[in-house]
Amino acid sequence: MYYPYFIAYMAAGFVISIVVFFWALNNGQFKDQQRARYIPLESDLNTKPVKASRFARIETIALFSLVCIVLATSVAVVVFALVKAVR
Amino acid sequence: MSNEVTESISSDNPTAKAFTLTSAFWFAAATSLGMIGAGYLIAPDFMANIEYIHFGRVRPMHINAVLFGFVTPGLLAAAFYYFPRLLRTELFSQKLGVFSAIFWNITVAAGIIGISIGHTQGREYAELPWIVDIMVVICFALVVFNILMTIRQRKESILFVSIWYTTAAVVLTSITYCLGNVIWKPDTGALLGIPDAIVLWFYGHNIFGLLLTPMGLAVAYYVLPIATRSPLYSHTLSLLGFWSLIIVYTHIGTHHLLQVPVPTWLKTISIVDSVAMVIPVMIVLINLWYTVKGKLGDIHADIGAKFVFTGTIYYFFVNIQGSMMALPHVQRITHFNNWVVGHAHIGVLGFAGVTALGGLYFILPRITGKPLYSKFLADVQYWLVLIGITGFALVLTTVGLIQGNAWYNGETLYRTLPEIQPYYILRASLGTLIMIGAYIGLYNVIRSLYFNRGASI
């Protein structure tokens, strides 16, 4: 008998989620969302602005190229797999 | 809420330091174990006479060291830094935090040594022997207690989304770990037959979905607004992303079992929810990328934010892959071969690991009060890891395609082996880059924590 454990787990997860959600609702966690956007900034007031450099731009382009290569490979495989499947 | 409260929070954070060191150490150890495994794939008799590091043992040692030694503690180190800051209070107990970090290391070491001497439960991601399972649960319980008590004594009424993500991650994982490791059966740590496969993959995917993903996103939600000095694009949207992740991600484990006789309704749910993962993923990425829009220069100036932003790109990539791989027609080619290995590396190292490294580099100057020992070395590590993981994605995808295609056409396995060997050599070479990066990172972290002679910030 394995399913009593599954049912107990699912029931516990469901109950915890519902309880936490309603706690958040009643506690005002979904209110004042505009101020919430600034909480990380208020927690760190010492970070100073930086100057953009040429090297940073080149680095960004290199990074973007790497991402494109990976994405293109992935798309190619999916297309290949689908073409195979249709045949 | 006044800013004086934030300013008065102690910057001395021994818990964050302990978890930082833990993560850096196990990253080096885990990649070394991975390299031994890569050696076996090139030459099967490589170190074959040493039973303690035979491939069948070194692979789970590598995986467990990465999951529980490197990535989770790395993300926890950042969490122990931003929890007091976001909640405007001190951590409930630094002593408990340091103790949990020490116990965490003992647990991971016990697990790795246990597997090395042959004590394994033989289930993927759940290999750790029963006694170590109990220790892992205690580790999570200690962390859960510490952060829940910190939340309880908070002076900031609103819980920022990072708090939601990390709390959910550690609470859910402490329970899911018990279920997935069938902890009530110490002798086997497993159920019988198909139900065991279902429960194992429910757990296995949730180690990524309900532990690494939410904790990684929590770090990104904290680091990127600060690095770019921009408010979060939308906090409402971030909460929507959080709740949709909790609802959707929990059901997708069975997409590993589409070619297995599990109930069809369960397969259907896993496929539908795998595709539906596009919703929480795009919510997160739209939110984060709009937050940093036009400020890539700021991100590249901060090595921590650079790692974290790169992590978000890999997060996008790994999730699009995941959604597509759950489609049965695609999976016929991509499953049970190196494609999945590539996918796992992109997810665990490319997204969660890189984000954890970003978290470490972001908090290091802030917890030591001094600049990073060497930004140059951190940059070198960044590029080594980035090239390594991108190469992994390319090479393992190609090998997976060769293997999947051969299997699909009914070819005999051994015929594919000569064809894929060059790729395994490439893979080991790329792994070497990542391993060197890990050791450079360990050196940089140790110097930054203990032997940094630089002037204070």
Side-chain angles (χ1 to χ4, degrees), chain B residues 10-90:
Chain B
S10 167
S11 61
D12 185 36
N13 194 328
T15 307
K17 285 179 185 169
F19 274 104
T20 299
L21 192 60
T22 303
S23 176
F25 168 75
W26 285 108
F27 186 27
T31 47
S32 307
L33 292 168
M35 282 306 298
I36 297 173
Y40 278 115
L41 291 172
I42 298 171
D45 53 355
F46 173 70
M47 291 202 226
N49 293 327
I50 309 173
E51 61 178 292
Y52 306 111
I53 49 168
H54 194 269
F55 185 81
R57 295 184 190 181
V58 89
R59 182 182 180 274
M61 286 160 73
H62 164 68
I63 288 169
N64 283 285
V66 168
L67 289 178
F68 299 113
F70 159 47
V71 185
T72 308
L75 295 169
L76 276 177
F80 277 112
Y81 171 77
Y82 62 66
F83 259 71
R85 301 250 146 201
L86 291 173
L87 298 170
R88 296 175 200 269
T89 183
E90 295 291 342

Coordinates of all heavy atoms in Angstrom, one line a residue, chain B residues 10-90:
Chain B
S10 N 23.5 44.3 11.5 CA 24.9 44.0 11.5 C 25.4 43.4 10.2 O 24.7 42.5 9.6 CB 25.2 42.9 12.6 OG 26.5 42.4 12.5
S11 N 26.5 43.9 9.7 CA 27.0 43.3 8.4 C 27.8 42.1 8.7 O 28.2 41.3 7.8 CB 27.9 44.4 7.7 OG 29.0 44.7 8.5
D12 N 28.2 41.8 10.0 CA 28.9 40.6 10.3 C 27.9 39.4 10.2 O 27.0 39.4 11.0 CB 29.5 40.7 11.7 CG 30.4 39.5 12.0 OD1 31.0 39.0 11.1 OD2 30.4 39.0 13.1
N13 N 28.1 38.5 9.3 CA 27.1 37.5 9.1 C 27.9 36.1 9.0 O 28.1 35.6 7.9 CB 26.3 37.8 7.8 CG 25.1 37.0 7.7 OD1 25.1 35.8 8.2 ND2 24.1 37.5 7.1
P14 N 28.2 35.6 10.1 CA 29.0 34.3 10.1 C 28.3 33.2 9.4 O 28.9 32.3 8.8 CB 29.3 34.0 11.5 CG 28.3 34.8 12.3 CD 28.0 36.0 11.5
T15 N 26.9 33.2 9.4 CA 26.2 32.1 8.8 C 26.4 32.2 7.2 O 26.7 31.2 6.6 CB 24.7 32.2 9.1 OG1 24.5 32.3 10.5 CG2 23.9 31.1 8.5
A16 N 26.2 33.4 6.7 CA 26.4 33.6 5.3 C 27.8 33.2 4.9 O 28.1 32.6 3.8 CB 26.1 35.0 4.9
K17 N 28.8 33.6 5.7 CA 30.2 33.3 5.4 C 30.4 31.8 5.4 O 31.1 31.2 4.5 CB 31.1 33.9 6.5 CG 31.3 35.4 6.3 CD 32.2 35.9 7.4 CE 32.3 37.4 7.3 NZ 33.0 38.0 8.5
A18 N 29.8 31.1 6.4 CA 30.0 29.6 6.5 C 29.4 28.9 5.2 O 30.0 28.0 4.7 CB 29.4 29.1 7.7
F19 N 28.2 29.4 4.8 CA 27.6 28.7 3.7 C 28.4 29.1 2.4 O 28.4 28.3 1.4 CB 26.1 29.1 3.6 CG 25.2 28.2 4.4 CD1 24.7 28.6 5.6 CD2 25.0 26.9 4.0 CE1 23.9 27.7 6.4 CE2 24.2 26.0 4.7 CZ 23.7 26.4 5.9
T20 N 28.9 30.3 2.3 CA 29.7 30.7 1.2 C 30.9 29.8 1.0 O 31.2 29.2 -0.1 CB 30.2 32.1 1.3 OG1 29.1 33.0 1.4 CG2 31.1 32.6 0.1
L21 N 31.6 29.6 2.1 CA 32.8 28.7 2.0 C 32.4 27.2 1.7 O 33.1 26.6 0.9 CB 33.5 28.7 3.4 CG 34.9 28.1 3.5 CD1 35.8 28.8 2.5 CD2 35.4 28.2 4.9
T22 N 31.3 26.8 2.3 CA 30.8 25.4 2.0 C 30.6 25.3 0.5 O 31.0 24.3 -0.1 CB 29.4 25.2 2.7 OG1 29.6 25.5 4.1 CG2 28.9 23.9 2.5
S23 N 29.9 26.2 -0.1 CA 29.5 26.2 -1.5 C 30.8 26.2 -2.4 O 30.9 25.3 -3.3 CB 28.6 27.3 -1.9 OG 28.3 27.3 -3.2
A24 N 31.7 27.1 -2.1 CA 32.9 27.2 -2.9 C 33.7 25.9 -2.8 O 34.3 25.4 -3.8 CB 33.8 28.4 -2.5
F25 N 33.8 25.3 -1.6 CA 34.6 24.1 -1.4 C 34.0 22.9 -2.2 O 34.6 22.2 -3.0 CB 34.7 23.7 0.0 CG 35.2 22.3 0.3 CD1 36.6 22.1 0.1 CD2 34.4 21.3 0.6 CE1 37.1 20.8 0.3 CE2 34.9 20.0 0.8 CZ 36.2 19.8 0.6
W26 N 32.6 22.7 -2.1 CA 32.0 21.6 -2.7 C 31.9 21.8 -4.2 O 31.8 20.8 -4.9 CB 30.6 21.3 -2.1 CG 30.8 20.7 -0.8 CD1 30.5 21.2 0.5 CD2 31.2 19.3 -0.5 NE1 30.8 20.3 1.5 CE2 31.2 19.2 0.9 CE3 31.6 18.2 -1.3 CZ2 31.6 18.0 1.5 CZ3 32.0 17.1 -0.7 CH2 32.0 16.9 0.7
F27 N 31.9 23.0 -4.7 CA 32.0 23.2 -6.2 C 33.3 22.6 -6.7 O 33.2 21.9 -7.7 CB 31.9 24.7 -6.5 CG 31.8 25.0 -7.9 CD1 31.2 24.1 -8.9 CD2 32.2 26.3 -8.4 CE1 31.1 24.5 -10.2 CE2 32.1 26.6 -9.8 CZ 31.5 25.7 -10.7
A28 N 34.4 22.9 -6.0 CA 35.7 22.3 -6.5 C 35.6 20.8 -6.4 O 36.1 20.1 -7.3 CB 36.8 22.9 -5.7
A29 N 35.1 20.3 -5.2 CA 35.1 18.8 -5.0 C 34.2 18.2 -6.1 O 34.6 17.1 -6.7 CB 34.6 18.5 -3.6
A30 N 33.0 18.8 -6.3 CA 32.1 18.1 -7.2 C 32.5 18.1 -8.6 O 32.3 17.1 -9.3 CB 30.7 18.9 -7.1
T31 N 33.2 19.2 -9.1 CA 33.7 19.2 -10.4 C 34.8 18.2 -10.6 O 35.0 17.6 -11.7 CB 34.1 20.6 -10.9 OG1 34.9 21.2 -9.9 CG2 32.9 21.5 -11.1
S32 N 35.6 18.0 -9.5 CA 36.7 17.0 -9.6 C 36.1 15.6 -9.8 O 36.6 14.8 -10.6 CB 37.6 17.1 -8.3 OG 38.0 18.4 -8.1
L33 N 35.1 15.3 -9.0 CA 34.4 14.0 -9.2 C 33.8 13.9 -10.6 O 33.9 12.8 -11.2 CB 33.3 13.9 -8.1 CG 33.8 13.8 -6.6 CD1 32.6 14.0 -5.7 CD2 34.5 12.4 -6.4
G34 N 33.2 15.0 -11.1 CA 32.7 15.0 -12.4 C 33.7 14.7 -13.5 O 33.5 13.9 -14.4
M35 N 34.9 15.2 -13.2 CA 36.0 15.0 -14.2 C 36.4 13.5 -14.2 O 36.8 13.0 -15.3 CB 37.2 15.8 -13.8 CG 37.1 17.3 -14.3 SD 36.8 17.5 -16.0 CE 38.2 16.7 -16.7
I36 N 36.4 12.9 -13.0 CA 36.8 11.4 -13.0 C 35.7 10.7 -13.8 O 36.1 9.8 -14.6 CB 36.8 10.9 -11.5 CG1 37.9 11.7 -10.7 CG2 37.0 9.4 -11.5 CD1 37.9 11.4 -9.2
G37 N 34.5 11.0 -13.6 CA 33.4 10.4 -14.4 C 33.6 10.6 -15.9 O 33.4 9.7 -16.7
A38 N 34.0 11.8 -16.3 CA 34.2 12.1 -17.7 C 35.4 11.3 -18.2 O 35.3 10.9 -19.4 CB 34.5 13.6 -17.9
G39 N 36.4 11.0 -17.4 CA 37.5 10.2 -17.8 C 37.0 8.8 -18.1 O 37.5 8.2 -19.2
Y40 N 36.1 8.3 -17.3 CA 35.6 6.9 -17.6 C 34.9 6.8 -18.9 O 34.9 5.8 -19.6 CB 34.7 6.5 -16.5 CG 35.4 5.9 -15.3 CD1 35.3 6.6 -14.0 CD2 36.1 4.8 -15.3 CE1 35.9 6.1 -12.9 CE2 36.7 4.3 -14.2 CZ 36.6 5.0 -13.0 OH 37.3 4.5 -11.9
L41 N 34.2 7.9 -19.3 CA 33.4 7.9 -20.5 C 34.4 7.9 -21.8 O 34.0 7.4 -22.8 CB 32.5 9.1 -20.6 CG 31.3 9.1 -19.6 CD1 30.6 10.4 -19.6 CD2 30.4 7.9 -19.9
I42 N 35.6 8.4 -21.6 CA 36.5 8.4 -22.7 C 37.2 7.0 -22.7 O 37.3 6.4 -23.8 CB 37.6 9.5 -22.5 CG1 36.9 10.9 -22.6 CG2 38.7 9.4 -23.6 CD1 37.8 12.0 -22.2
A43 N 37.7 6.6 -21.6 CA 38.4 5.3 -21.5 C 37.8 4.5 -20.3 O 38.0 4.8 -19.2 CB 39.9 5.6 -21.2
P44 N 37.0 3.5 -20.7 CA 36.2 2.7 -19.6 C 37.1 2.1 -18.5 O 36.7 1.8 -17.4 CB 35.5 1.7 -20.4 CG 35.4 2.2 -21.8 CD 36.6 3.0 -22.0
D45 N 38.4 1.9 -18.9 CA 39.3 1.3 -17.9 C 40.1 2.3 -17.1 O 40.9 2.0 -16.3 CB 40.2 0.2 -18.5 CG 41.0 0.8 -19.6 OD1 40.7 2.0 -20.0 OD2 41.9 0.2 -20.2
F46 N 39.7 3.6 -17.2 CA 40.3 4.7 -16.5 C 40.1 4.5 -15.0 O 39.0 4.5 -14.5 CB 39.7 6.0 -17.0 CG 40.1 7.2 -16.3 CD1 41.3 7.7 -16.4 CD2 39.1 7.9 -15.6 CE1 41.7 8.9 -15.8 CE2 39.5 9.1 -14.9 CZ 40.7 9.6 -15.0
M47 N 41.2 4.3 -14.3 CA 41.1 4.1 -12.8 C 40.2 3.0 -12.4 O 39.6 3.0 -11.3 CB 40.7 5.4 -12.1 CG 41.7 6.5 -12.2 SD 41.4 7.7 -10.8 CE 41.5 9.2 -11.7
A48 N 40.0 2.0 -13.3 CA 39.0 1.0 -13.0 C 39.2 0.1 -11.8 O 38.3 -0.5 -11.3 CB 38.8 0.1 -14.3
N49 N 40.5 0.1 -11.4 CA 40.8 -0.8 -10.3 C 40.5 -0.2 -8.9 O 40.6 -0.9 -7.9 CB 42.3 -1.2 -10.3 CG 42.6 -2.1 -11.5 OD1 41.7 -2.9 -11.9 ND2 43.7 -1.9 -12.1
I50 N 40.2 1.1 -8.9 CA 39.9 1.7 -7.6 C 38.4 1.7 -7.5 O 37.6 2.5 -8.1 CB 40.4 3.2 -7.6 CG1 41.9 3.2 -8.0 CG2 40.2 3.8 -6.2 CD1 42.5 4.6 -8.1
E51 N 37.9 0.8 -6.6 CA 36.4 0.6 -6.5 C 35.7 1.8 -5.9 O 34.6 2.1 -6.3 CB 36.1 -0.6 -5.7 CG 36.6 -0.5 -4.2 CD 36.2 -1.8 -3.4 OE1 35.1 -2.0 -3.1 OE2 37.2 -2.5 -3.0
Y52 N 36.4 2.6 -5.1 CA 35.7 3.7 -4.4 C 35.4 4.9 -5.3 O 34.5 5.7 -5.0 CB 36.6 4.3 -3.3 CG 37.0 3.2 -2.3 CD1 38.4 2.7 -2.2 CD2 36.1 2.5 -1.5 CE1 38.7 1.7 -1.4 CE2 36.4 1.5 -0.7 CZ 37.8 1.1 -0.6 OH 38.1 0.1 0.2
I53 N 36.0 4.9 -6.5 CA 35.7 6.0 -7.4 C 35.4 5.4 -8.8 O 35.7 5.9 -9.8 CB 36.8 7.0 -7.5 CG1 38.2 6.4 -7.7 CG2 36.8 8.0 -6.4 CD1 39.3 7.4 -8.1
H54 N 34.8 4.2 -8.8 CA 34.3 3.6 -10.0 C 33.2 4.4 -10.6 O 32.5 5.1 -9.8 CB 33.9 2.1 -9.7 CG 33.8 1.4 -11.0 ND1 32.6 1.3 -11.7 CD2 34.7 0.6 -11.7 CE1 32.7 0.6 -12.8 NE2 34.0 0.1 -12.8
F55 N 32.9 4.3 -11.9 CA 31.9 5.2 -12.5 C 30.6 5.1 -11.8 O 29.9 6.1 -11.6 CB 31.8 4.9 -14.0 CG 30.9 5.8 -14.7 CD1 31.3 7.1 -15.1 CD2 29.5 5.5 -14.9 CE1 30.5 8.0 -15.7 CE2 28.7 6.4 -15.5 CZ 29.1 7.6 -15.9
G56 N 30.2 3.9 -11.5 CA 28.9 3.7 -10.8 C 28.8 4.4 -9.5 O 27.6 4.7 -9.0
R57 N 29.9 4.7 -8.9 CA 29.9 5.4 -7.6 C 30.2 6.9 -7.8 O 29.6 7.7 -7.1 CB 30.9 4.8 -6.6 CG 30.5 3.4 -6.3 CD 31.4 2.8 -5.2 NE 31.1 1.3 -5.1 CZ 31.8 0.5 -4.3 NH1 32.7 1.0 -3.5 NH2 31.4 -0.7 -4.2
V58 N 31.1 7.2 -8.7 CA 31.5 8.6 -8.8 C 30.5 9.5 -9.4 O 30.4 10.6 -9.1 CB 32.9 8.6 -9.6 CG1 32.7 8.8 -11.1 CG2 33.8 9.7 -9.1
R59 N 29.6 8.9 -10.2 CA 28.5 9.7 -10.8 C 27.5 10.2 -9.8 O 27.3 11.4 -9.6 CB 27.8 8.9 -11.9 CG 26.7 9.7 -12.6 CD 25.9 8.9 -13.6 NE 24.9 9.8 -14.3 CZ 23.7 10.0 -13.8 NH1 23.4 9.3 -12.6 NH2 22.9 10.7 -14.4
P60 N 27.0 9.3 -8.9 CA 26.1 9.8 -7.8 C 26.8 10.7 -6.8 O 26.3 11.6 -6.3 CB 25.5 8.6 -7.2 CG 26.3 7.4 -7.7 CD 26.9 7.8 -9.0
M61 N 28.1 10.4 -6.6 CA 28.9 11.3 -5.7 C 28.9 12.7 -6.3 O 28.7 13.7 -5.6 CB 30.3 10.8 -5.6 CG 30.5 9.5 -4.7 SD 32.0 8.6 -5.0 CE 33.2 9.6 -4.2
H62 N 29.2 12.8 -7.6 CA 29.3 14.1 -8.3 C 27.9 14.8 -8.2 O 27.9 16.0 -7.8 CB 29.6 13.8 -9.8 CG 29.4 15.0 -10.7 ND1 30.1 16.2 -10.6 CD2 28.5 15.1 -11.7 CE1 29.6 17.0 -11.6 NE2 28.7 16.4 -12.2
I63 N 26.9 14.1 -8.5 CA 25.5 14.7 -8.5 C 25.1 15.2 -7.1 O 24.7 16.3 -7.0 CB 24.5 13.7 -9.0 CG1 24.7 13.5 -10.5 CG2 23.1 14.1 -8.7 CD1 23.9 12.3 -11.1
N64 N 25.3 14.4 -6.1 CA 24.9 14.8 -4.8 C 25.8 15.9 -4.2 O 25.3 16.8 -3.5 CB 24.9 13.6 -3.8 CG 23.7 12.7 -4.0 OD1 22.6 13.0 -3.6 ND2 23.9 11.6 -4.7
A65 N 27.1 15.9 -4.6 CA 28.0 17.0 -4.2 C 27.5 18.3 -4.8 O 27.5 19.3 -4.2 CB 29.4 16.7 -4.5
V66 N 27.1 18.2 -6.1 CA 26.7 19.4 -6.8 C 25.4 19.9 -6.1 O 25.2 21.1 -5.8 CB 26.5 19.2 -8.3 CG1 25.7 20.3 -8.9 CG2 27.8 19.0 -9.0
L67 N 24.4 19.0 -6.0 CA 23.0 19.5 -5.5 C 23.1 20.0 -4.1 O 22.6 21.0 -3.8 CB 22.1 18.3 -5.6 CG 21.6 17.9 -7.0 CD1 20.7 16.7 -6.9 CD2 20.9 19.0 -7.7
F68 N 23.7 19.1 -3.2 CA 23.6 19.4 -1.8 C 24.8 20.1 -1.2 O 24.8 20.6 -0.1 CB 23.2 18.2 -1.0 CG 21.9 17.6 -1.4 CD1 21.8 16.4 -2.0 CD2 20.7 18.3 -1.2 CE1 20.6 15.8 -2.4 CE2 19.5 17.8 -1.6 CZ 19.4 16.5 -2.2
G69 N 25.9 20.0 -2.0 CA 27.1 20.6 -1.5 C 27.4 22.0 -2.1 O 27.8 22.9 -1.4
F70 N 27.2 22.1 -3.4 CA 27.6 23.4 -4.1 C 26.4 24.3 -4.2 O 26.4 25.4 -3.7 CB 28.2 23.0 -5.4 CG 28.2 24.2 -6.4 CD1 28.5 25.5 -6.1 CD2 27.8 23.9 -7.7 CE1 28.5 26.5 -7.0 CE2 27.7 24.9 -8.7 CZ 28.1 26.2 -8.3
V71 N 25.3 23.9 -4.9 CA 24.3 24.8 -5.3 C 23.4 25.3 -4.2 O 23.2 26.4 -3.9 CB 23.4 24.2 -6.5 CG1 22.5 25.3 -7.0 CG2 24.3 23.8 -7.7
T72 N 22.9 24.3 -3.4 CA 21.9 24.7 -2.3 C 22.6 25.5 -1.3 O 22.1 26.6 -0.9 CB 21.3 23.4 -1.7 OG1 20.8 22.6 -2.7 CG2 20.3 23.8 -0.7
P73 N 23.8 25.2 -0.8 CA 24.5 26.1 0.2 C 24.8 27.4 -0.4 O 24.8 28.4 0.3 CB 25.7 25.3 0.6 CG 25.4 23.9 0.4 CD 24.5 23.9 -0.9
G74 N 25.2 27.5 -1.7 CA 25.5 28.8 -2.3 C 24.3 29.7 -2.3 O 24.4 30.9 -2.0
L75 N 23.1 29.1 -2.7 CA 21.9 29.9 -2.7 C 21.5 30.3 -1.2 O 20.9 31.3 -1.0 CB 20.8 29.1 -3.4 CG 21.1 28.9 -4.9 CD1 20.1 27.9 -5.5 CD2 21.0 30.2 -5.7
L76 N 21.8 29.3 -0.3 CA 21.4 29.6 1.1 C 22.3 30.7 1.7 O 21.8 31.5 2.5 CB 21.6 28.3 1.9 CG 20.4 27.4 2.0 CD1 20.8 26.1 2.8 CD2 19.2 28.0 2.6
A77 N 23.6 30.8 1.2 CA 24.5 31.8 1.7 C 23.9 33.2 1.4 O 23.8 34.1 2.3 CB 25.8 31.7 1.1
A78 N 23.4 33.4 0.2 CA 22.8 34.6 -0.2 C 21.5 34.8 0.6 O 21.2 35.9 1.1 CB 22.5 34.6 -1.7
A79 N 20.7 33.8 0.8 CA 19.5 33.9 1.5 C 19.7 34.4 3.0 O 19.0 35.2 3.5 CB 18.7 32.5 1.6
F80 N 20.8 33.8 3.6 CA 21.1 34.2 5.0 C 21.6 35.7 5.0 O 21.5 36.3 6.1 CB 22.1 33.3 5.6 CG 21.4 32.0 6.2 CD1 21.7 30.8 5.6 CD2 20.6 32.1 7.2 CE1 21.0 29.7 6.1 CE2 19.9 31.0 7.7 CZ 20.2 29.8 7.2
Y81 N 22.0 36.2 3.8 CA 22.4 37.6 3.8 C 21.1 38.5 3.6 O 20.9 39.5 4.3 CB 23.4 37.9 2.7 CG 23.6 39.3 2.5 CD1 24.4 40.1 3.3 CD2 23.0 40.0 1.4 CE1 24.6 41.4 3.1 CE2 23.2 41.4 1.2 CZ 24.0 42.1 2.1 OH 24.1 43.4 1.9
Y82 N 20.3 38.1 2.6 CA 19.1 39.0 2.3 C 17.9 38.9 3.2 O 17.1 39.8 3.3 CB 18.7 39.0 0.8 CG 18.2 37.6 0.3 CD1 17.0 37.1 0.7 CD2 18.9 37.0 -0.7 CE1 16.5 35.9 0.2 CE2 18.4 35.8 -1.2 CZ 17.3 35.2 -0.8 OH 16.8 34.1 -1.3
F83 N 17.8 37.8 3.9 CA 16.7 37.6 4.9 C 16.7 38.8 5.9 O 15.7 39.5 6.0 CB 16.6 36.3 5.5 CG 15.6 35.3 4.9 CD1 15.9 34.8 3.6 CD2 14.5 35.0 5.6 CE1 14.9 34.0 3.0 CE2 13.5 34.2 5.0 CZ 13.7 33.7 3.7
P84 N 17.8 39.0 6.6 CA 17.7 40.1 7.6 C 17.5 41.4 6.9 O 16.8 42.3 7.5 CB 19.1 40.0 8.3 CG 19.6 38.6 8.0 CD 19.0 38.2 6.7
R85 N 18.1 41.6 5.7 CA 18.0 42.9 5.1 C 16.6 43.2 4.6 O 16.1 44.3 4.8 CB 18.9 42.9 3.8 CG 20.4 42.7 4.1 CD 21.2 43.9 4.0 NE 22.2 43.9 4.9 CZ 22.9 45.0 5.3 NH1 22.5 46.2 4.8 NH2 23.8 45.0 6.2
L86 N 16.0 42.2 4.0 CA 14.6 42.4 3.5 C 13.6 42.5 4.6 O 12.5 43.0 4.4 CB 14.3 41.3 2.5 CG 15.0 41.3 1.1 CD1 14.7 40.1 0.3 CD2 14.7 42.6 0.3
L87 N 13.9 41.8 5.7 CA 12.9 41.8 6.8 C 13.2 42.8 7.8 O 12.5 43.0 8.8 CB 12.9 40.4 7.4 CG 12.4 39.3 6.5 CD1 12.7 37.9 7.1 CD2 11.0 39.4 6.1
R88 N 14.3 43.6 7.6 CA 14.8 44.6 8.6 C 14.9 44.1 10.0 O 14.4 44.8 10.9 CB 13.8 45.8 8.5 CG 13.7 46.5 7.2 CD 12.7 47.6 7.1 NE 12.3 47.9 5.8 CZ 12.8 48.8 5.1 NH1 13.8 49.5 5.5 NH2 12.4 49.1 3.8
T89 N 15.5 43.0 10.2 CA 15.8 42.5 11.5 C 17.0 41.7 11.5 O 17.6 41.4 10.4 CB 14.6 41.6 12.0 OG1 14.8 41.2 13.3 CG2 14.4 40.4 11.1
E90 N 17.5 41.3 12.6 CA 18.7 40.4 12.7 C 18.2 39.0 12.4 O 17.1 38.7 12.6 CB 19.4 40.5 14.0 CG 20.0 41.8 14.4 CD 21.2 42.2 13.6 OE1 21.8 41.3 12.9 OE2 21.6 43.4 13.5

